[in-house]
Amino acid sequence: MINKKILIVEDEVKISDIVKAYLEKEGFTTTVAPTGQKAISLLKERYDLIILDLMLPDMSGEDICQVVREDSDTPIIMLTAKSDEDDRIHGLGIGADDYVVKPFSPRELVARVKAHLRRVKGKKDTSSFNSRDLVIDPLRFEVRKNDITVILTPTEFKLLQCLSEHPGQVFTRLQLVNVILGYDFEGYDRTIDAHIKNIRHKIEDNQKSPSYIKTVYGIGYKFSGQADAD
Ligand code: CA
């Protein structure tokens, strides 16, 4: 948890001081923003997690949440004095990952901060390419082409996953055989061609001029989709 940067957006100095002290004791680096405007100006920096007070003098935590969600999925823990259920659900509905109702125990808040950071670390994100034209979801073994789920066989999925994880790298057919089988298997080259043909059929707009899996003549294949920014 060392070197993790946390933004604390809170106008009550008493609260931000306590939260800051507890987090820094755990080795986190913290920045405090007492207003919404200040928070938004700080968002140019990357933070690993944001603690966000719902009631700020100049704007609401929800508004900031929406600004954050426009271009990042940084975990947000909302601090709220309102405890009725509608507000909680609303808070989560607009993109907060968690909420803590005031008054809260700083220890509990620190525990939640750690839990969210662990979750981010363990999360294997989906990869998307060519402006989300192609999305590969390794947890669900799912591929979406133009928002429509396409069914790949486990072998096809493994091949596509391997190629897309190493964009631009040329793989020989034999290497790809190893990806599928985990060992050398002579004479299997043509089967790779058949699998590649099937994958192309499922994910390419034009199979004669593929955007994702290109043939490198005499050698093998490479992935040439453009990974989307996070
Ligand atoms: Ca407040």
Side-chain angles (χ1 to χ4, degrees):
M1 297 290 170
I2 301 292
N3 291 331
K4 293 286 183 195
K5 288 168 68 184
I6 300 182
L7 177 62
I8 303 164
V9 187
E10 169 64 78
D11 60 308
E12 285 170 73
V13 179
K14 231 176 3 181
I15 293 178
S16 62
D17 277 354
I18 291 173
V19 171
K20 185 179 162 70
Y22 270 81
L23 289 171
E24 291 189 347
K25 209 173 77 189
E26 297 290 324
F28 295 107
T29 303
T30 63
T31 304
V32 175
T35 65
Q37 284 306 328
K38 179 72 183 161
I40 284 173
S41 73
L42 285 168
L43 285 175
K44 288 190 285 288
E45 298 247 353
R46 282 268 316 148
Y47 292 94
D48 296 291
L49 186 140
I50 299 169
I51 294 171
L52 179 59
D53 180 28
L54 185 63
M55 305 288 278
L56 293 160
D58 56 341
M59 55 199 293
S60 79
E62 281 123 314
D63 295 335
I64 296 173
C65 209
Q66 274 163 348
V67 173
V68 173
R69 282 292 170 267
E70 276 167 17
D71 63 2
S72 91
D73 54 5
T74 306
I76 297 173
I77 300 177
M78 196 81 106
L79 300 180
T80 165
K82 302 177 183 176
S83 64
D84 62 276
E85 212 158 6
D86 279 353
D87 282 319
R88 295 183 189 202
I89 290 164
H90 188 51
L92 297 176
I94 52 147
D97 298 271
D98 202 354
Y99 59 88
V100 172
V101 179
K102 292 176 185 174
F104 56 87
S105 128
R107 260 178 238 283
E108 192 202 332
L109 179 62
V110 170
R112 295 219 200 167
V113 166
K114 288 181 175 174
H116 281 282
L117 289 173
R118 267 197 301 275
R119 193 178 304 164
V120 170
K121 205 174 143 212
K123 192 171 94 182
K124 187 134 197 300
D125 262 331
T126 58
S127 327
S128 74
F129 302 92
N130 297 13
S131 312
R132 295 195 73 77
D133 176 63
L134 182 71
V135 177
I136 301 172
D137 183 341
L139 290 181
R140 294 187 192 158
F141 270 81
E142 215 176 74
V143 172
R144 289 187 294 281
K145 163 72 184 173
N146 200 8
D147 278 336
I148 295 165
T149 302
V150 292
I151 309 296
L152 297 188
T153 66
T155 301
E156 290 164 3
F157 190 88
K158 257 194 223 170
L159 283 174
L160 178 62
Q161 188 181 15
C162 169
L163 289 166
S164 69
E165 281 173 355
H166 306 90
Q169 183 180 331
V170 179
F171 287 85
T172 65
R173 290 185 175 79
L174 188 59
Q175 284 172 322
L176 293 175
V177 169
N178 291 340
V179 166
I180 301 174
L181 298 173
Y183 56 85
D184 290 6
F185 192 82
E186 266 177 69
Y188 205 73
D189 289 18
R190 298 301 133 194
T191 312
I192 292 293
D193 294 346
H195 287 307
I196 295 288
K197 193 177 162 202
N198 288 340
I199 298 171
R200 280 181 175 154
H201 182 70
K202 293 173 181 177
I203 67 167
E204 299 286 2
D205 293 322
N206 180 354
Q207 289 162 64
K208 294 219 163 62
S209 168
S211 322
Y212 292 107
I213 301 179
K214 303 246 200 242
T215 303
V216 180
Y217 290 99
I219 303 175
Y221 297 99
K222 68 174 182 183
F223 187 83
S224 58
Q226 291 294 313
D228 297 329
D230 291 340

